Amino acid sequence: MFEKLLNVAPIVLALVVATGCAKPPTEQIEAAEKAVADAQQSGASTYVAEEYAKIEGTLVALRKEVADQDAKFGLVRDYGKAEQLAVAAKADAERVKAEAEKKRDEAKAAALQAQHAAEESVKVTLDLVAKAPTGKDRAALEAIKADAEALKASLNQTQMAIDKADYQAAQKQAEAIREKSTAVSHEIETALAKIGKGKAAAKKK
Amino acid sequence: MHIYHRLMYSLGSGSLLLILTVTLTGCTDAVPQDVVEAIESLDRDLMDLRAAELSPDDYARFAHQWMALKTRVQAEDDLIHWPWESNELDLSLRRLYEEGVETVARITDQRKALGQAAERKLTSVEDRFHILTVQVRAIDSRLVLGQQLVETDLLVKQARAFFEEGQFERSIEASVKAGQMLTSQTDLLSSELGRYADHERIGRWQQMANETIAWSRRHHASAIVVSKADRVLTLYKNGQKVLSYPVRLGFNGIREKRYQGDGATPEGRYLIAGKRGQGQTQFYRALLLDYPNEEDRRRFQSARKTGLIPASKGIGGQIEIHGVENELAAQTLGCVMLENAHMISLYDRVEKGTPVTIVGALQEQNSVAQALASLGQRNDI
C-alpha cells in the first residue's frame, strides 16, 4: 500500500504544482494596470511620452501573454512569465510616474517663476502709467496706456494656462509678457522724458 | 586492454570531442546582442526626434513590439541555439530593427517637413505683424486696434519661442492664431478707416474743400483746409494757395471725433471763433474753432441714442489750431498743431470768422488708403 502511495505521490505533486501556476496573477495584473493609469494621471504622456509608450507596450505584452496562456489546455498553463511581466510593468510604471511628476513639477516651477517675473515687469509698467500727466501732456501716453492694460489682461491668460496645467504655454506667454512690458516701460519713460525736456525748453524761452 | 583497443578508444573519444567542439563553436546565442543594441540606439534616435509627440501611433507600434521582444530577450538571454535550429527571436528582432530604421527615416522626414512648415508660417506671421505695426504707426491708428496689437505681439513671440525649442506643432498653432488675429485686426482697421478708401466719401471731402476754396475766391478772403490723412494745413487767399504746412493731430486723430477725450480730430466745416496771442495760450498762439457746430451736435445726439457713445461722455470742445508748447510732443488731444514758426505765419493771415474745413483726405491715394491696401494684400496665411 505504502509503495503504491509512493508511486502516485510524484504524479499528485506534479498536479499540485501545475494547478498552482494555472491561475492568472489577477492581483499583480490589476496592480500593474493601476500603476500605468497613475502614471498617465501624473502627465506621463506629456512629460515622458516615450517612456509612457513603453510601459503601455509592456502592458500590451502582459495582456497577450495572459491571453496566450488562457488559450492553452488547463494543465499546461503557466502564468509564471505573466506574473513576472506584471511585476516588471508595475515597477516600470511607478518609475515613469516618478519621472513624470519630477518633470511636471520642474515645468510648473519654471512657469511660476516666469509668471512672477512677468507680474513684476507689468507692475513697473503700470506704475509708470500712473505717473502719466493728466493734462494736455497726456496725449503722448494715451496710446501706450492701452498697451499697458493689454499686458495686465494677458497675465490672466497666463494664470489660466497654469490652472489648466499647460505649464509650457504659461511659461512662454509669461516670458513674452515680460519682454513686451519692458519695451512698453521704455516707451513710457521716453515719452515722459520728452514731456519733461520739452517743458524745460519752453520755460527757458 | 590491447593496444588496438586503446587506440580505437582514443580515436573515438577524440572524434567525439572534435565533433562536440565544432558543434558548440557553431552554436549561437539566442539573443543577438548586436541587434538588441542597434534597436536601443534606434529607440534613442526616436526619442531625440520626439517621436511619441510627433507620430504617436508610429512610436507606440515600435515601443509595444520592442517591449514584447524585450521580455523575451531578458528570458532567453543565456540560451544558445544549435546551428540547425531556427531562432525566431533573432528573426523578430531583426525585423523590428528594419521597421525601426524605416520609422526613424519616416519620422525624420516628417519632423523636417513640420519644421519647415512651422518656419514658413512663423516667418509669414512675423512679417505681417511687422508690416501692421509699421502701418499703424504711420497712420497713427494704434488706438483703433486697442489692446489687440499687444495680444498679437505676445502670440507671435510665443510662436517664435516654441519654434526655437523645436516644438513645431505648438509653434504652428500659435502662428495660425496670430495670423487669424492679424486678419481680424486688418478687417477692423478697414471697418474703422475704410472711409479713407471710399470713393464717394473722398468725393464729398473734395467737394467740401472746393466749396471752401470757392468761398475764399468769392469773398477775397482767407480760408483754411486741413487734410488729416496728409497731415497738411493749407491756407487759401482769394481762392489761391498761399501756404501749406505739416501738422500734428490728436493721439487718435485719424478717427472721426465722437466724444470728449477720445483724442480724435473732428472733421467738418468750422469757423475761427477766437484768436489767442502769445501769453494768452500755453501753445504759443492759438486759433479757437467753433467745434461743436450744429452738424456735430446732431451727429453726437444720434450716436448717443444708438448707444455708440456712453451716456457719461460729453461732446467736448476747445478744438484749436495752435502752436507748440512741447516741441517733442508728437500728438495733441484732438487739436491741429503746427510748428511755432508756421503758426506765426498763419496767425497773422487769418481772423475771427475765417472758415476752417477739416476733411479726412483729398486724394484717393492717401496714406491711410495705401496702408489699408498694403495690409489687405498680406492676409494670406
Side-chain angles (χ1 to χ4, degrees), chain B residues 17 45 49 163 181 194 224 266 363:
Chain B
L17 191 61
D45 290 343
L49 287 167
F163 178 80
M181 289 177 75
I224 293 171
Q363 312 291 337

Side-chain angles (χ1 to χ4, degrees), chain A residues 10-170:
Chain A
I11 298 167
V12 171
L13 188 64
L15 277 171
V16 167
V17 168
T19 50
C21 294
K23 282 184 293 187
T26 313
E27 246 180 63
Q28 288 90 334
I29 293 169
E30 282 174 2
E33 287 177 344
K34 185 179 178 307
V36 171
D38 286 347
Q40 161 66 348
Q41 280 297 310
S42 297
S45 60
T46 300
Y47 293 103
V48 282
E50 284 80 16
E51 292 301 319
Y52 181 70
K54 291 192 181 90
I55 60 174
E56 277 193 322
T58 307
L59 215 53
V60 166
L62 166 62
R63 289 177 187 137
K64 185 177 181 303
E65 174 62 22
V66 170
D68 286 349
Q69 294 305 320
D70 285 347
K72 289 179 180 174
F73 177 62
L75 282 179
V76 298
R77 284 180 197 159
D78 182 359
Y79 291 100
K81 187 178 170 188
E83 187 174 343
Q84 281 176 5
L85 272 174
V87 168
K90 179 174 178 286
D92 283 342
E94 284 167 351
R95 176 184 55 80
V96 168
K97 176 175 180 273
E99 269 179 50
E101 283 171 346
K102 180 169 176 278
K103 291 208 169 174
R104 187 197 59 198
D105 292 345
E106 284 169 0
K108 185 176 180 181
L112 289 174
Q113 189 177 20
Q115 181 190 38
H116 180 70
E119 285 170 346
E120 289 293 305
S121 189
V122 170
K123 186 178 179 308
V124 167
T125 305
L126 293 174
D127 286 346
L128 282 169
V129 168
K131 287 183 191 171
T134 51
K136 288 190 182 273
D137 290 326
R138 76 177 198 275
L141 290 155
E142 284 298 322
I144 308 172
K145 277 183 191 174
D147 287 1
E149 288 302 316
L151 288 166
K152 189 176 161 191
S154 295
L155 286 172
N156 294 335
Q157 290 181 14
T158 302
Q159 184 59 51
M160 280 166 56
I162 289 174
D163 292 342
K164 281 191 301 186
D166 189 353
Y167 301 124
Q168 287 184 343

Side-chain angles (χ1 to χ4, degrees), chain A residues 46 49-51 53-58 60-61 81 84-85 92 135-144 146-151 153-154 157 166 168-169 171-173 175-180 184 187 191 193-199 202 205, chain B residues 43 46-53 59-60 63-68 70-72 75 129 137 142-143 146-151 153-155 157-158 161-162 165 167 170 251 261-262 282-283 318 320 325-333 335 340:
Chain A
T46 300
E50 284 80 16
E51 292 301 319
K54 291 192 181 90
I55 60 174
E56 277 193 322
T58 307
V60 166
K81 187 178 170 188
Q84 281 176 5
L85 272 174
D92 283 342
K136 288 190 182 273
D137 290 326
R138 76 177 198 275
L141 290 155
E142 284 298 322
I144 308 172
D147 287 1
E149 288 302 316
L151 288 166
S154 295
Q157 290 181 14
D166 189 353
Q168 287 184 343
Q171 183 183 355
K172 298 284 176 292
Q173 189 167 47
E175 284 167 354
I177 291 171
R178 188 193 52 75
E179 187 184 332
K180 182 66 182 176
V184 173
E187 203 179 345
K194 279 185 180 176
I195 292 169
K197 275 183 193 169
K199 283 195 161 172
K205 287 179 186 174
Chain B
D43 189 31
L46 287 169
M47 288 173 73
D48 287 342
L49 287 167
R50 291 185 180 165
E53 181 188 314
Y59 186 76
H64 292 187
Q65 285 180 52
W66 178 214
M67 289 301 105
K70 216 172 182 180
T71 57
R72 290 176 58 190
F129 180 69
R137 282 193 193 277
R142 202 163 160 182
L143 277 173
Q147 300 185 4
Q148 293 181 52
L149 214 52
V150 166
E151 290 166 11
D153 194 359
L154 294 178
L155 258 181
K157 285 177 167 46
Q158 285 170 65
F162 277 127
E165 280 189 4
Q167 295 195 54
R170 296 211 76 165
F251 60 81
D262 66 0
Q282 70 184 101
F283 294 111
Q318 297 284 319
E320 300 175 343
E325 181 204 14
N326 179 349
E327 288 182 9
L328 298 172
Q331 293 154 328
T332 70
L333 296 177
C335 298
N340 288 347

Side-chain angles (χ1 to χ4, degrees), chain B residues 12-209:
Chain B
S13 300
S15 302
L16 190 63
L17 191 61
L18 184 64
I19 291 166
L20 206 58
T21 305
V22 167
T23 305
L24 281 173
T25 49
C27 283
T28 53
D29 288 328
V31 176
Q33 284 304 325
D34 56 336
V35 181
V36 168
E37 282 165 14
I39 294 172
E40 281 174 347
S41 175
L42 280 178
D43 189 31
R44 284 192 293 274
D45 290 343
L46 287 169
M47 288 173 73
D48 287 342
L49 287 167
R50 291 185 180 165
E53 181 188 314
L54 196 60
S55 190
D57 290 343
D58 268 345
Y59 186 76
R61 195 164 38 247
F62 171 84
H64 292 187
Q65 285 180 52
W66 178 214
M67 289 301 105
L69 288 173
K70 216 172 182 180
T71 57
R72 290 176 58 190
V73 162
Q74 285 159 358
E76 297 177 30
D77 193 32
D78 49 3
L79 290 183
I80 57 171
H81 279 269
W82 298 111
W84 56 84
E85 261 189 320
S86 67
N87 187 345
E88 198 267 322
L89 176 59
D90 184 291
L91 288 171
S92 299
L93 285 167
R94 288 180 196 280
R95 198 162 39 240
L96 176 63
Y97 173 76
E98 281 165 18
E99 286 172 8
V101 166
E102 285 174 15
T103 302
V104 166
R106 192 167 54 249
I107 293 182
T108 300
D109 288 344
Q110 213 174 325
R111 186 166 174 79
K112 188 178 171 190
L114 191 66
Q116 287 169 344
E119 190 172 23
R120 268 196 311 276
K121 286 196 184 298
L122 177 61
T123 306
S124 174
V125 87
E126 282 177 335
D127 188 35
R128 281 179 69 197
F129 180 69
H130 172 72
I131 289 172
L132 177 69
T133 309
V134 165
Q135 295 292 357
V136 161
R137 282 193 193 277
I139 61 176
D140 259 341
S141 55
R142 202 163 160 182
L143 277 173
V144 175
L145 296 177
Q147 300 185 4
Q148 293 181 52
L149 214 52
V150 166
E151 290 166 11
T152 308
D153 194 359
L154 294 178
L155 258 181
V156 171
K157 285 177 167 46
Q158 285 170 65
R160 169 57 67 175
F162 277 127
F163 178 80
E164 297 297 340
E165 280 189 4
Q167 295 195 54
F168 300 134
E169 286 185 341
R170 296 211 76 165
S171 176
I172 288 172
E173 193 185 325
S175 291
V176 167
K177 203 170 168 192
Q180 289 166 350
M181 289 177 75
L182 285 167
T183 301
S184 161
Q185 283 153 42
T186 302
D187 290 344
L188 176 60
L189 281 173
S190 292
S191 163
E192 290 289 322
L193 304 176
R195 59 209 182 91
Y196 286 88
D198 181 72
H199 174 75
E200 278 185 32
R201 191 66 180 265
I202 292 171
R204 284 204 295 276
W205 284 331
Q206 287 170 338
Q207 188 181 354
M208 285 167 65

